[in-house]
């Protein structure tokens, strides 16, 4: 990993709150940077069953007494174009989260971006505005992106990212989404990935990481190497909200961004 940052990057890193700009992590050994495939079940299982099996119980909200019954999953999501997909998400009633939402939070950015960022679920601000990562965590995310030479705003295609969440509706009280809610929502993210065709997915935070990789490993064990999400290289990093609470780990998140950037540049 290179230790040379431009003055601008050093300024941006300062803004991110990273105090040290040299590589804090040892170089990723070659065998570790090879694409690692997530352990998928040998036999096909339903998405709901797979997610329920794969997600660790401690990552999930406790079963809700009287949790809302599931509605029908929309059909044909896997062939939808962007307008149809967006409209389908807007009208989605496939799980009980639709009852409490003010807005669905579909995604933002360049629909052919090279970088696709995936978070957990909308919070209060996102639910109000219908855009992902607009609260304090989103402001830190924007600074992290700027430090990497990226933005969610309209810009040159090379610089603009696409941001989405695993879950498109706000869970009440910001609780962790339930496995059945993840399963009902999963086709939407899969279709977004298929339409964007990103060079790289950056999965942010334990929930998104464990949901996408169908893994119960903690982030600390999954970061620093390249995984695979349906054929797309995936790099793991901490959630910006976690970084706000644990600023010392911003340096590790910077290492993750550097790994992601190296991968994208190597595939330019
Ligand atoms: N946290 C997330 O994971 N996603 C958002 O959109 C906002 C906060």
């Amino acid at each position: 990993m290179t230790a040379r940052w431009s003055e601008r990057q050093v300024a941006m890193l300062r803004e991110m709150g990273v105090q040290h700009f040299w590589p804090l992590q040892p170089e990723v050994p070659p065998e570790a940077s090879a694409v690692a495939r997530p352990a998928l079940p040998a036999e096909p299982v339903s998405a709901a069953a797979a997610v329920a099996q794969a997600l660790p119980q401690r990552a999930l909200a406790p079963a809700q007494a009287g949790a809302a019954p599931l509605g029908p999953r929309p059909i044909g999501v896997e062939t939808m174009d962007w307008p149809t997909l967006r409209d389908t998400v807007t009208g989605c009633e496939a799980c009980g989260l639709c009852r409490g939402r003010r807005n669905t939070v579909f995604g933002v950015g360049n629909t052919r971006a090279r970088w696709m960022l995936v978070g957990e679920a909308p919070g209060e601000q996102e639910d109000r505005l219908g855009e992902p990562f607009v609260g304090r965590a989103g402001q830190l995310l924007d600074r992290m992106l700027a430090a990497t030479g990226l933005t969610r705003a309209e810009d040159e295609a090379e610089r603009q990212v696409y941001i989405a969440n695993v879950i498109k509706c706000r869970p009440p009280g910001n609780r962790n989404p339930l496995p059945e809610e993840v399963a009902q929502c999963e086709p939407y993210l899969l279709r977004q990935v298929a339409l964007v065709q990103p060079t790289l997915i950056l999965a942010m935070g334990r929930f998104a990481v464990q949901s996408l990789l169908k893994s119960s490993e903690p982030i600390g064990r999954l970061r620093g190497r390249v995984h695979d999400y349906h054929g797309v290289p995936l790099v793991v990093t901490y959630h910006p909200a976690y970084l706000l609470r644990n600023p010392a780990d911003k340096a590790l998140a910077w290492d993750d961004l550097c790994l992601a950037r190296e991968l994208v540049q190597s595939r330019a």
Side-chain angles (χ1 to χ4, degrees):
M1 197 173 291
T2 54
R4 291 174 189 281
W5 316 124
S6 68
E7 274 179 30
R8 187 170 169 276
Q9 278 176 329
V10 170
M12 297 307 303
L13 285 167
R14 284 219 172 87
E15 204 179 324
M16 257 177 80
V18 177
Q19 303 298 330
H20 308 288
F21 314 124
W22 56 89
L24 298 176
Q25 294 285 87
E27 283 210 14
V28 180
E31 68 275 14
S33 62
V35 171
R37 291 185 174 266
L40 291 173
E43 294 296 320
V45 290
S46 75
V51 172
Q53 272 170 19
L55 284 175
Q57 289 312 303
R58 65 188 165 78
L60 303 173
Q64 308 286 301
L70 300 179
R73 259 213 220 181
I75 46 173
V77 174
E78 62 286 353
T79 56
M80 284 178 182
D81 60 13
W82 280 113
T84 314
L85 184 63
R86 184 182 276 276
D87 288 350
T88 306
V89 168
T90 302
C92 182
E93 297 187 348
C95 79
L97 296 182
C98 64
R99 309 231 175 105
R101 73 179 175 222
R102 278 187 277 187
N103 288 294
T104 51
V105 178
F106 182 69
V108 70
N110 189 327
T111 53
R112 293 311 299 266
R114 297 168 72 189
W115 291 65
M116 181 161 175
L117 279 60
V118 179
E120 175 180 334
E124 205 251 325
Q125 308 269 15
E126 290 77 18
D127 174 60
R128 196 164 55 79
L129 297 173
E131 179 169 333
F133 286 98
V134 289
R136 270 188 74 223
Q139 288 161 17
L140 174 60
L141 178 62
D142 285 343
R143 293 200 298 275
M144 291 164 63
L145 288 174
T148 319
L150 301 168
T151 175
R152 75 168 78 193
E154 226 167 280
D155 204 304
E156 293 160 34
E158 297 246 310
R159 281 172 38 82
Q160 199 189 1
V161 302
Y162 189 82
I163 308 177
N165 284 313
V166 172
I167 295 277
K168 311 298 186 215
C169 299
R170 182 191 182 200
N174 295 342
R175 66 157 167 78
N176 280 332
L178 301 169
E180 57 268 30
E181 292 161 353
V182 176
Q184 294 293 82
C185 225
E186 194 176 35
Y188 299 137
L189 183 65
L190 263 172
R191 187 61 188 150
Q192 285 174 301
V193 172
L195 287 167
V196 175
Q197 293 179 22
T199 306
L200 169 103
I201 294 172
L202 185 69
M204 301 179 294
R206 188 181 69 172
F207 183 86
V209 166
Q210 293 180 340
S211 298
L212 294 180
L213 295 181
K214 313 254 187 270
S215 167
S216 57
E217 294 277 308
I219 290 194
R221 300 265 298 269
L222 292 167
R223 51 180 295 282
R225 60 200 158 107
V226 182
H227 302 267
D228 175 276
Y229 181 74
H230 295 270
V232 181
L234 182 149
V235 167
V236 163
T237 195
Y238 295 102
H239 195 284
Y242 166 88
L243 295 174
L244 287 173
R245 296 190 303 273
N246 300 275
D249 283 347
K250 285 180 184 171
L252 298 177
W254 177 245
D255 284 345
D256 300 333
L257 287 172
C258 290
L259 172 62
R261 189 174 55 182
E262 277 168 23
L263 186 135
V264 171
Q265 284 173 351
S266 75
R267 299 193 172 202

